[in-house]
Amino acid sequence: DHARLDTVQGKCETGVGMRMEKIASNSFHFQKDLRDGFIAKNQQDGRLFVLKPADSFVDPEVVNWLARNRYPGVPRCYGSTTGPNGRLCHIFEYLSGSSLDQLIGEGHGRLGLNYLLSLMLQWARILSFLHLRNDPALLHLDIKPANLIVGHSGCAGLIDFTAACLHDRTMRNHAVQQKKALTLNYAA
């Protein structure tokens, strides 16, 4: 089965017994342009994916890291294809839901404290996985409300790893590119 987020006893878990199938790289119908990429539907099974241009990643090794490592709320990379503009694009799992930016802006008013605490704990667990449970650690470097996803079942996710770097090469190889990839008002 396709990797997905399920709510099980209040926890977001990866689907049990998942199998990573090969995705035909020439079978996409492009649904929507993103700031840097596309949402595309697989014509064979109707699933949505995110296609990100390979040259948009500050650290190209991040893509390999996301293909090897799996954690709920972190989109997996399935491979590469040619985008509608002829650029090489990486194929990522689509995490459905709304960004924290959208939830705040859609007139939901104030989000409940318990709800926000639950989301914050999930995002903290995602960051713990990225930073502490892997060698090398992955640093996202562009955490902002638009990149924090809340799934329809209440599961949190983190998207857009184009500014991310592996810890062992962050400042040495990519210092100049980092400045271009970070979002003003959110970069620390």
Side-chain angles (χ1 to χ4, degrees):
D1 288 282
H2 175 61
R4 66 192 194 292
L5 296 178
D6 290 324
T7 303
V8 180
Q9 298 175 357
K11 292 184 177 179
C12 294
E13 303 288 340
T14 303
V16 177
M18 70 179 164
R19 175 180 55 85
M20 292 302 151
E21 68 278 5
K22 182 165 175 57
I23 301 199
S25 63
N26 59 353
S27 64
F28 288 103
H29 175 69
F30 296 93
Q31 302 281 310
K32 180 180 176 184
D33 283 339
L34 301 172
R35 182 180 54 82
D36 192 16
F38 311 93
I39 295 177
K41 183 184 265 187
N42 185 312
Q43 293 178 339
Q44 293 176 342
D45 61 15
R47 289 185 296 161
L48 294 177
F49 293 90
V50 174
L51 277 61
K52 291 277 191 172
D55 58 10
S56 68
F57 285 82
V58 169
D59 185 347
E61 286 302 312
V62 166
V63 174
N64 295 326
W65 193 99
L66 290 169
R68 287 189 313 269
N69 293 286
R70 183 74 188 127
Y71 193 78
V74 176
R76 180 142 193 177
C77 181
Y78 290 102
S80 300
T81 189
T82 302
N85 55 9
R87 291 166 69 189
L88 178 67
C89 290
H90 298 299
I91 306 165
F92 287 92
E93 174 183 14
Y94 176 77
L95 300 182
S96 65
S98 299
S99 69
L100 184 57
D101 227 12
Q102 290 169 323
L103 287 177
I104 293 169
E106 287 177 350
H108 287 279
R110 296 173 55 114
L111 300 174
L113 180 60
N114 287 338
Y115 181 62
L116 280 175
L117 284 174
S118 169
L119 293 172
M120 302 244 336
L121 282 172
Q122 290 177 61
W123 287 316
R125 286 184 188 115
I126 290 170
L127 291 175
S128 175
F129 171 76
L130 297 175
H131 296 173
L132 303 174
R133 297 190 199 161
N134 291 285
D135 187 25
L138 188 142
L139 306 178
H140 186 277
L141 301 177
D142 195 22
I143 295 175
K144 58 187 177 185
N147 290 340
L148 299 171
I149 297 296
V150 180
H152 302 294
S153 61
C155 292
L158 179 61
I159 61 169
D160 194 357
F161 285 78
T162 54
C165 287
L166 297 181
H167 183 265
D168 64 343
R169 50 180 83 202
T170 301
M171 291 303 157
R172 288 191 303 259
N173 296 337
H174 302 290
V176 173
Q177 288 178 317
Q178 270 315 109
K179 292 178 185 171
K180 294 178 187 173
L182 300 177
T183 302
L184 294 177
N185 299 331
Y186 293 102

PDB file of all heavy atoms in Angstrom, residues 65-80:
ATOM      1  N   TRP A  65      18.465  11.555   0.954  1.00  0.00           N
ATOM      2  CA  TRP A  65      18.140  11.352   2.361  1.00  0.00           C
ATOM      3  C   TRP A  65      16.636  11.119   2.507  1.00  0.00           C
ATOM      4  O   TRP A  65      16.204  10.222   3.214  1.00  0.00           O
ATOM      5  CB  TRP A  65      18.592  12.576   3.162  1.00  0.00           C
ATOM      6  CG  TRP A  65      18.599  12.409   4.643  1.00  0.00           C
ATOM      7  CD1 TRP A  65      19.673  12.137   5.427  1.00  0.00           C
ATOM      8  CD2 TRP A  65      17.475  12.531   5.535  1.00  0.00           C
ATOM      9  NE1 TRP A  65      19.289  12.084   6.743  1.00  0.00           N
ATOM     10  CE2 TRP A  65      17.948  12.321   6.837  1.00  0.00           C
ATOM     11  CE3 TRP A  65      16.131  12.792   5.349  1.00  0.00           C
ATOM     12  CZ2 TRP A  65      17.119  12.368   7.952  1.00  0.00           C
ATOM     13  CZ3 TRP A  65      15.296  12.832   6.458  1.00  0.00           C
ATOM     14  CH2 TRP A  65      15.799  12.620   7.749  1.00  0.00           C
ATOM     15  N   LEU A  66      15.823  11.936   1.815  1.00  0.00           N
ATOM     16  CA  LEU A  66      14.363  11.799   1.903  1.00  0.00           C
ATOM     17  C   LEU A  66      13.859  10.531   1.212  1.00  0.00           C
ATOM     18  O   LEU A  66      12.772  10.049   1.522  1.00  0.00           O
ATOM     19  CB  LEU A  66      13.679  13.039   1.316  1.00  0.00           C
ATOM     20  CG  LEU A  66      13.841  14.315   2.142  1.00  0.00           C
ATOM     21  CD1 LEU A  66      13.376  15.529   1.355  1.00  0.00           C
ATOM     22  CD2 LEU A  66      13.109  14.208   3.472  1.00  0.00           C
ATOM     23  N   ALA A  67      14.628   9.985   0.303  1.00  0.00           N
ATOM     24  CA  ALA A  67      14.258   8.711  -0.326  1.00  0.00           C
ATOM     25  C   ALA A  67      14.554   7.535   0.611  1.00  0.00           C
ATOM     26  O   ALA A  67      13.849   6.530   0.601  1.00  0.00           O
ATOM     27  CB  ALA A  67      15.006   8.538  -1.640  1.00  0.00           C
ATOM     28  N   ARG A  68      15.588   7.656   1.424  1.00  0.00           N
ATOM     29  CA  ARG A  68      16.013   6.564   2.316  1.00  0.00           C
ATOM     30  C   ARG A  68      15.291   6.538   3.650  1.00  0.00           C
ATOM     31  O   ARG A  68      15.100   5.484   4.236  1.00  0.00           O
ATOM     32  CB  ARG A  68      17.513   6.667   2.610  1.00  0.00           C
ATOM     33  CG  ARG A  68      18.426   6.294   1.499  1.00  0.00           C
ATOM     34  CD  ARG A  68      19.878   6.220   1.981  1.00  0.00           C
ATOM     35  NE  ARG A  68      20.291   7.351   2.784  1.00  0.00           N
ATOM     36  CZ  ARG A  68      20.852   8.472   2.308  1.00  0.00           C
ATOM     37  NH1 ARG A  68      21.060   8.607   1.022  1.00  0.00           N
ATOM     38  NH2 ARG A  68      21.203   9.438   3.126  1.00  0.00           N
ATOM     39  N   ASN A  69      14.939   7.688   4.182  1.00  0.00           N
ATOM     40  CA  ASN A  69      14.403   7.782   5.542  1.00  0.00           C
ATOM     41  C   ASN A  69      12.905   8.043   5.513  1.00  0.00           C
ATOM     42  O   ASN A  69      12.415   8.804   4.703  1.00  0.00           O
ATOM     43  CB  ASN A  69      15.109   8.917   6.296  1.00  0.00           C
ATOM     44  CG  ASN A  69      16.564   8.594   6.519  1.00  0.00           C
ATOM     45  OD1 ASN A  69      16.911   7.782   7.348  1.00  0.00           O
ATOM     46  ND2 ASN A  69      17.432   9.221   5.737  1.00  0.00           N
ATOM     47  N   ARG A  70      12.208   7.412   6.429  1.00  0.00           N
ATOM     48  CA  ARG A  70      10.745   7.518   6.469  1.00  0.00           C
ATOM     49  C   ARG A  70      10.295   7.869   7.868  1.00  0.00           C
ATOM     50  O   ARG A  70      10.722   7.250   8.843  1.00  0.00           O
ATOM     51  CB  ARG A  70      10.137   6.182   6.038  1.00  0.00           C
ATOM     52  CG  ARG A  70       8.644   6.194   5.983  1.00  0.00           C
ATOM     53  CD  ARG A  70       8.160   6.970   4.768  1.00  0.00           C
ATOM     54  NE  ARG A  70       6.722   7.117   4.845  1.00  0.00           N
ATOM     55  CZ  ARG A  70       6.106   8.282   4.756  1.00  0.00           C
ATOM     56  NH1 ARG A  70       6.774   9.382   4.586  1.00  0.00           N
ATOM     57  NH2 ARG A  70       4.799   8.343   4.834  1.00  0.00           N
ATOM     58  N   TYR A  71       9.415   8.869   7.946  1.00  0.00           N
ATOM     59  CA  TYR A  71       8.830   9.264   9.223  1.00  0.00           C
ATOM     60  C   TYR A  71       7.481   9.936   8.935  1.00  0.00           C
ATOM     61  O   TYR A  71       7.364  10.670   7.948  1.00  0.00           O
ATOM     62  CB  TYR A  71       9.756  10.234   9.963  1.00  0.00           C
ATOM     63  CG  TYR A  71       9.371  10.436  11.402  1.00  0.00           C
ATOM     64  CD1 TYR A  71       9.698   9.482  12.359  1.00  0.00           C
ATOM     65  CD2 TYR A  71       8.667  11.556  11.803  1.00  0.00           C
ATOM     66  CE1 TYR A  71       9.339   9.652  13.686  1.00  0.00           C
ATOM     67  CE2 TYR A  71       8.305  11.734  13.124  1.00  0.00           C
ATOM     68  CZ  TYR A  71       8.641  10.780  14.060  1.00  0.00           C
ATOM     69  OH  TYR A  71       8.278  10.944  15.379  1.00  0.00           O
ATOM     70  N   PRO A  72       6.467   9.705   9.775  1.00  0.00           N
ATOM     71  CA  PRO A  72       5.167  10.334   9.546  1.00  0.00           C
ATOM     72  C   PRO A  72       5.293  11.860   9.489  1.00  0.00           C
ATOM     73  O   PRO A  72       5.938  12.482  10.326  1.00  0.00           O
ATOM     74  CB  PRO A  72       4.336   9.919  10.761  1.00  0.00           C
ATOM     75  CG  PRO A  72       4.988   8.672  11.246  1.00  0.00           C
ATOM     76  CD  PRO A  72       6.449   8.834  10.950  1.00  0.00           C
ATOM     77  N   GLY A  73       4.701  12.447   8.473  1.00  0.00           N
ATOM     78  CA  GLY A  73       4.707  13.893   8.328  1.00  0.00           C
ATOM     79  C   GLY A  73       5.889  14.444   7.554  1.00  0.00           C
ATOM     80  O   GLY A  73       6.005  15.644   7.362  1.00  0.00           O
ATOM     81  N   VAL A  74       6.777  13.560   7.084  1.00  0.00           N
ATOM     82  CA  VAL A  74       7.914  13.962   6.253  1.00  0.00           C
ATOM     83  C   VAL A  74       7.706  13.328   4.879  1.00  0.00           C
ATOM     84  O   VAL A  74       7.644  12.101   4.771  1.00  0.00           O
ATOM     85  CB  VAL A  74       9.259  13.490   6.863  1.00  0.00           C
ATOM     86  CG1 VAL A  74      10.423  13.840   5.944  1.00  0.00           C
ATOM     87  CG2 VAL A  74       9.460  14.093   8.242  1.00  0.00           C
ATOM     88  N   PRO A  75       7.582  14.135   3.831  1.00  0.00           N
ATOM     89  CA  PRO A  75       7.303  13.559   2.503  1.00  0.00           C
ATOM     90  C   PRO A  75       8.475  12.743   1.970  1.00  0.00           C
ATOM     91  O   PRO A  75       9.624  13.157   2.063  1.00  0.00           O
ATOM     92  CB  PRO A  75       7.050  14.786   1.626  1.00  0.00           C
ATOM     93  CG  PRO A  75       7.693  15.922   2.331  1.00  0.00           C
ATOM     94  CD  PRO A  75       7.698  15.581   3.791  1.00  0.00           C
ATOM     95  N   ARG A  76       8.170  11.594   1.450  1.00  0.00           N
ATOM     96  CA  ARG A  76       9.178  10.698   0.888  1.00  0.00           C
ATOM     97  C   ARG A  76       9.434  11.043  -0.573  1.00  0.00           C
ATOM     98  O   ARG A  76       8.520  11.419  -1.293  1.00  0.00           O
ATOM     99  CB  ARG A  76       8.681   9.269   0.983  1.00  0.00           C
ATOM    100  CG  ARG A  76       9.666   8.283   0.416  1.00  0.00           C
ATOM    101  CD  ARG A  76       9.704   7.064   1.207  1.00  0.00           C
ATOM    102  NE  ARG A  76      10.861   6.284   0.824  1.00  0.00           N
ATOM    103  CZ  ARG A  76      11.180   5.182   1.407  1.00  0.00           C
ATOM    104  NH1 ARG A  76      10.443   4.738   2.391  1.00  0.00           N
ATOM    105  NH2 ARG A  76      12.224   4.516   1.039  1.00  0.00           N
ATOM    106  N   CYS A  77      10.672  10.898  -1.003  1.00  0.00           N
ATOM    107  CA  CYS A  77      11.016  11.081  -2.410  1.00  0.00           C
ATOM    108  C   CYS A  77      10.957   9.718  -3.102  1.00  0.00           C
ATOM    109  O   CYS A  77      11.536   8.749  -2.625  1.00  0.00           O
ATOM    110  CB  CYS A  77      12.411  11.680  -2.559  1.00  0.00           C
ATOM    111  SG  CYS A  77      12.862  11.939  -4.287  1.00  0.00           S
ATOM    112  N   TYR A  78      10.242   9.662  -4.235  1.00  0.00           N
ATOM    113  CA  TYR A  78      10.070   8.405  -4.954  1.00  0.00           C
ATOM    114  C   TYR A  78      10.958   8.265  -6.176  1.00  0.00           C
ATOM    115  O   TYR A  78      11.049   7.194  -6.743  1.00  0.00           O
ATOM    116  CB  TYR A  78       8.615   8.268  -5.413  1.00  0.00           C
ATOM    117  CG  TYR A  78       7.650   8.038  -4.284  1.00  0.00           C
ATOM    118  CD1 TYR A  78       6.868   9.067  -3.799  1.00  0.00           C
ATOM    119  CD2 TYR A  78       7.523   6.781  -3.708  1.00  0.00           C
ATOM    120  CE1 TYR A  78       5.977   8.858  -2.767  1.00  0.00           C
ATOM    121  CE2 TYR A  78       6.630   6.560  -2.667  1.00  0.00           C
ATOM    122  CZ  TYR A  78       5.866   7.606  -2.211  1.00  0.00           C
ATOM    123  OH  TYR A  78       4.988   7.389  -1.188  1.00  0.00           O
ATOM    124  N   GLY A  79      11.577   9.332  -6.624  1.00  0.00           N
ATOM    125  CA  GLY A  79      12.409   9.254  -7.819  1.00  0.00           C
ATOM    126  C   GLY A  79      12.409  10.571  -8.557  1.00  0.00           C
ATOM    127  O   GLY A  79      12.160  11.622  -7.972  1.00  0.00           O
ATOM    128  N   SER A  80      12.659  10.510  -9.860  1.00  0.00           N
ATOM    129  CA  SER A  80      12.756  11.723 -10.675  1.00  0.00           C
ATOM    130  C   SER A  80      12.013  11.544 -11.992  1.00  0.00           C
ATOM    131  O   SER A  80      11.771  10.426 -12.429  1.00  0.00           O
ATOM    132  CB  SER A  80      14.222  12.023 -10.980  1.00  0.00           C
ATOM    133  OG  SER A  80      14.935  12.209  -9.789  1.00  0.00           O
TER     134      SER A  80
END
